Each structure stands twice: as structure tokens, then as C-alpha cells.
Amino acid sequence: MRVTEYVTFDAVGLAAAIADGELTPAEVEAAAREAAEAVNPRINAVVETWEADDRPRPGSAPLAGVPFLIKDIAVTMAGRRMELGSRLAAGHVAAADSSLMRRFRRAGLVTFGRTSTPELAYSGTTEPALHGATRNPWDLERSAGGSSGGAGAAVAAGVVPIAHATDAAGSIRVPAAYNGLFGLKPTRGRVSTGPAFDEIFNGLAVHGSVSRTVRDSAALLDRMRGPEPGDPYSAPQPSRPYAEEVTRDPGTLRVGVLTHAWGGHRTAPPVADALAGTARLLTSLGHRVEEVTVDLGVDWEEFLLASARQWTANLAATVDELAAATGRPIDSSTLEPPTLASYHYGRQVTGTEFVTALALRNRLSRALAGYFATHDILLTPTLPDLPVPLGTYARDAEALDGLGWLRRLFDLAPFTAAFNVAGTPAMSVPAPPDPATGLPIGMQFAADHGREDRLFRLAGQLEQASPWADRTPTVWAGNPPGR
């Protein structure tokens, strides 16, 4: 199988061709490896590959034989390294599969490597000191986003059609937007984080994926979803598989449009123009669309302070645990400046401050629930600007404390974090690219708790009405050698 043929398939298409005997798992895996070898030296998205030990029988599982990459954090594969993008955890080898890894195996996925993440997934760009910067395949001088930037760049460049990702404040949606992909953050409790964790960052973080087609994300979420014994909570199970929702009519939806983000953040003209175009498309599809303002139930500065306390306290506990396990010091030799500053900030958070920060979650969740009582969807830009140049996040970062670093993260991505706090699903869908630069732009659609079904229906409709599958970046595995 030639790479030029391999990159024309999505995951569902590959699994069907393998099941029908048109392709073999071995030749598909070989094509994926060839694709990685062709593009990874330029984008630095995949930090390690290995000889896959999964050999699913064709047709034995929904995604049997599909090549797959896992993120270098939050999912463990027995005998493989998980370094969390940090020198503090360098060389760490997982002892056992996590619950999610076992589900990936049961889905038939052939996992052959791991993708880059910023240190401890604590950034909106993937530029870790441990592995170096991941570059955007649309423009190598720009960020691929974070914290699932390695996954986003690898899928966009054609290494795999879908890859594992996580999201605690936008880490699925940001790379999806920066790389021209589809990415859905599920409802809190939809996918288990066990057995090592009952929740990650007090429920802010969830597992998901980034993909080039909507149906791939739906098919994989069907295999990922569902509780494990001992989970502290779970989302209500859908009435039918998400894979079936993609082709269903979403009906007439009540869509609110929020152009500018909370906290006074303004959306750049190219993104605002794309948002207006998306609103017009929705209207032409029969949806009821109106401009809205959305009350978060909290002041933006209060939101920032509470988030900083919650995030950094969790980070500090993680860092202490890693240092104890590795015997390494907690200093500039093992942690990058923003992470180290956030660690020290988190060590100073009191128990009372932490509990007060968690109480904000309830206020924000109730406020967003009030919005969804009168609307089906909230449409925003995924990000207020085009993909930023590499180095943007790190500029003068040495001078920032933990609150200052979180402010920078939320300044650059102000639309996404609220839905992690509320635990509600949200997705980034590719809009037409910026006419001046050709860079990708993503639109965020959020829905009420447990309503991934509604999002998948709408995403399927948008994919048909304004296709993006024929858009490929400058660095693309399907390009002839030398291009």
C-alpha cells in the first residue's frame, strides 16, 4: 500500500477495507510508519514509535487494524514509556495498561507510538524542553497548539487518521482548530480515567481524540465511553451509538453566537469573519441563529484566580509524586520555568482557598445550564486568533508566577476552559481557512450536559455542507517525495 493511497482513508474506511480483505493490517501499519518517517522530521509530533504488539483479526472489532498513536500523558500502555513531556518523568515506563488503553485494544486499534505533549500538559502550545517544539504542518513557524499538539500535527500531516488526545481547558479543541481537524471534548464522566485516577484535575480533564472526519471521532468515542468499576461518576449513556448520529438530521437548532470572549478578549478580524460565515451557513441549513451574551455566573478575574488555585494545587501534587518516584529534584534542571513557578504557587494554596475554588465550578455550571435551558448550541470561535508563532507562549515567561502563567494561557484561549469547568461537551469544527494566509480556523460548538449526540448530528451536517477533507497542509504525507 502506497502512502499516497493510505492518506485518502479515514479510520472507519481503513477498518472496512481491512475487514473486506482489500487491505491487510500489516500493509496499513507499514504505510503509517512510512508516513511518520516522511513528515515527522519536519513537524516533530511523534516522540517514539515501537513495534506494535496488537494483531487484531480483520473485522473482529470496529476499528480493527487501524494505526493509532497515544498521547504522552494520562494513558498508560504496559511496558511503554509515558514521560508526560517532562524531564522530571523522563524514562518512566508504565507497568500496566490503563482502562482506556484496554479499550483501545478492544476497539482493534494498532498503537505504534506516542505523540508529544507540553510539560505535564500544562500549556496551550507543544514546545517541551524534553522533546523540542512540535510544528504546525500548515506553517512550520507556528504552533500546533496544545496540549494535544503532537496528536493534532500527526493527524493533520497524515501519519494516522485519528489519535488519542486529552482536554482540561481546550487541549483537544485548540490543536483541532490550529491544525484544521475535528475534535470533540466529551462530557465529564463519559470516558473513565481509571484505575490510577478517579478524576484528573478535579474533573476538568477528559479523554477524547482528534480526527480528520467526524465519523472517526464518533466511532472511537463509542469504543471509549462508559464507566469502569469504582468511577466516582459517569455521564448518562446515549440512546444509540454516536456513529449513527453523524448521519442523522439535527433538526432545527436554537444557536446562540458569542463573537468576543469573556474578560474583554476581542476576536481578530479573520476569525470574526469566519464566525459570521458559519452563522450564515447555519441559517441556510434552517437553524435559528442569534447573537447572544452569556453570563458565566462569575467575574473573569475571580474565574482566573480560582482556576489558578485549582490547577496549581493539582500540579504541585503531581510534581511531588513524580519527584518521589524518580528521585529527581524539583528545580530548573527538571522543570521548565512556567511549570516550576506554577508548582511553587500551588504549594502555597491553602485548603480553604482550594475548596472555595471548587465552589466556583458549581456557580459557573449553573449559569451555563441556564443558557442551555433556552438554546441548544452555543457557537464561538475556538480561538480568538490564527495559530500563533512558536515562542509566543514562552515570551518573558520567566517573570510569571502561577497566576500569571494561567492568565497567559486563558488570554490566548479564552473560549474553551469554561466548558471543562462545567463538564459539558464542546467540539471544534473546521471553518474555511483564512483567505490571506491559508491558515486553519476552528469554530467551537458547545451543548448541554450529555448532549454529544446533538453535537455529532450538527457536525455531520456541517461536514456535508462545507467539506474540509480535501484541504491538506504544506507538510503532508501524501505529497510526492521532495515536496
Side-chain angles (χ1 to χ4, degrees):
M1 183 185 198
R2 295 182 180 274
V3 173
T4 51
E5 178 189 8
Y6 166 73
V7 296
T8 66
F9 285 88
D10 67 357
V12 172
L14 280 173
I18 291 169
D20 291 343
E22 299 170 12
L23 299 170
T24 67
E27 65 179 323
V28 172
E29 183 184 345
R33 290 180 178 281
E34 186 177 345
E37 291 168 2
V39 300
N40 201 55
R42 300 180 68 188
I43 61 174
N44 192 35
V46 182
V47 298
E48 183 187 15
T49 61
W50 52 73
E51 189 65 34
D53 55 8
D54 292 297
R55 292 288 182 267
R57 181 171 50 82
S60 60
L63 297 172
V66 174
F68 193 64
L69 298 168
I70 54 175
K71 187 176 175 180
D72 187 30
I73 197 167
V75 60
T76 59
M77 187 176 189
R80 301 298 179 190
R81 281 183 288 176
M82 184 188 71
E83 298 174 305
L84 299 88
S86 178
R87 292 166 294 173
L88 184 61
H92 169 73
V93 175
D97 283 357
S98 60
S99 300
L100 182 58
M101 191 66 232
R102 292 195 295 270
R103 292 188 181 212
F104 287 153
R105 293 186 193 272
R106 290 198 295 269
L109 295 166
V110 178
T111 302
F112 71 100
R114 57 192 172 106
T115 59
S116 188
T117 180
E119 183 167 64
L120 303 178
Y122 209 72
S123 179
T125 187
T126 304
E127 304 176 46
L130 180 63
H131 296 299
T134 295
R135 297 178 179 272
N136 192 314
W138 296 86
D139 181 341
L140 295 176
E141 298 306 311
R142 294 183 184 262
S143 170
S147 62
S148 305
V155 173
V159 177
V160 288
I162 188 169
H164 166 246
T166 65
D167 192 317
S171 292
I172 288 172
R173 292 157 287 160
V174 170
Y178 271 13
N179 292 282
L181 303 173
F182 177 78
L184 183 144
K185 178 198 84 68
T187 297
R188 179 182 297 136
R190 176 70 65 207
V191 180
S192 176
T193 57
F197 304 100
D198 60 350
E199 58 182 8
I200 300 175
F201 272 46
N202 307 113
L204 294 178
V206 296
H207 290 284
S209 64
V210 289
S211 61
R212 295 198 296 270
T213 66
V214 176
R215 70 176 186 173
D216 277 2
S217 283
L220 183 55
L221 187 54
D222 279 331
R223 314 322 301 174
M224 295 169 66
R225 62 178 170 87
E228 290 283 339
D231 283 354
Y233 40 65
S234 62
Q237 292 304 298
S239 59
R240 64 179 62 87
Y242 292 129
E244 295 180 10
E245 300 289 3
V246 175
T247 56
R248 291 176 64 87
D249 186 347
T252 299
L253 299 175
R254 301 164 297 172
V255 181
V257 181
L258 182 68
T259 302
H260 301 291
W262 304 280
H265 298 91
R266 306 295 293 178
T267 296
V271 180
D273 289 346
L275 179 69
T278 302
R280 289 192 296 271
L281 175 60
L282 290 167
T283 300
S284 74
L285 293 171
H287 302 297
R288 291 158 41 196
V289 181
E290 62 176 354
E291 287 274 352
V292 296
T293 58
V294 180
D295 180 17
L296 286 182
V298 296
D299 175 78
W300 183 255
E301 289 300 316
E302 184 184 10
F303 178 63
L304 279 177
L305 179 60
S307 296
R309 288 170 171 169
Q310 182 181 354
W311 279 46
T312 60
N314 276 277
L315 176 75
T318 299
V319 168
D320 283 339
E321 183 180 0
L322 287 172
T326 62
R328 292 174 178 144
I330 300 172
D331 58 25
S332 59
S333 71
T334 57
L335 294 177
E336 298 164 31
T339 314
L340 187 59
S342 298
Y343 167 78
H344 289 305
Y345 188 96
R347 293 276 291 176
Q348 300 303 311
V349 174
T350 69
T352 301
E353 288 172 339
F354 185 74
V355 172
T356 301
L358 289 180
L360 178 141
R361 177 172 65 184
N362 178 62
R363 292 161 55 194
L364 188 148
S365 298
R366 304 289 180 182
L368 279 180
Y371 169 83
F372 286 118
T374 59
H375 294 79
D376 300 307
I377 297 290
L378 177 61
L379 166 63
T380 78
T382 306
L383 294 152
D385 211 336
L386 300 174
V388 298
L390 290 169
T392 298
Y393 279 78
R395 191 174 299 131
D396 300 321
E398 296 84 355
L400 301 176
D401 64 2
L403 175 59
W405 178 245
L406 195 84
R407 183 184 300 277
R408 174 163 296 181
L409 299 185
F410 283 19
D411 280 349
L412 289 165
F415 287 105
T416 52
F419 305 105
N420 295 82
V421 175
T424 51
M427 65 182 181
S428 183
V429 177
D434 173 40
T437 63
L439 290 171
I441 297 174
M443 291 294 117
Q444 177 176 243
F445 298 81
D448 202 4
H449 188 270
R451 295 313 306 266
E452 288 94 331
D453 58 341
R454 179 171 287 160
L455 291 178
F456 276 124
R457 287 178 211 155
L458 178 58
Q461 183 185 55
L462 292 170
E463 188 177 32
Q464 291 297 310
S466 182
W468 57 81
D470 60 344
R471 301 177 204 155
T472 56
T474 303
V475 180
W476 173 242
N479 286 341
R483 281 191 58 191

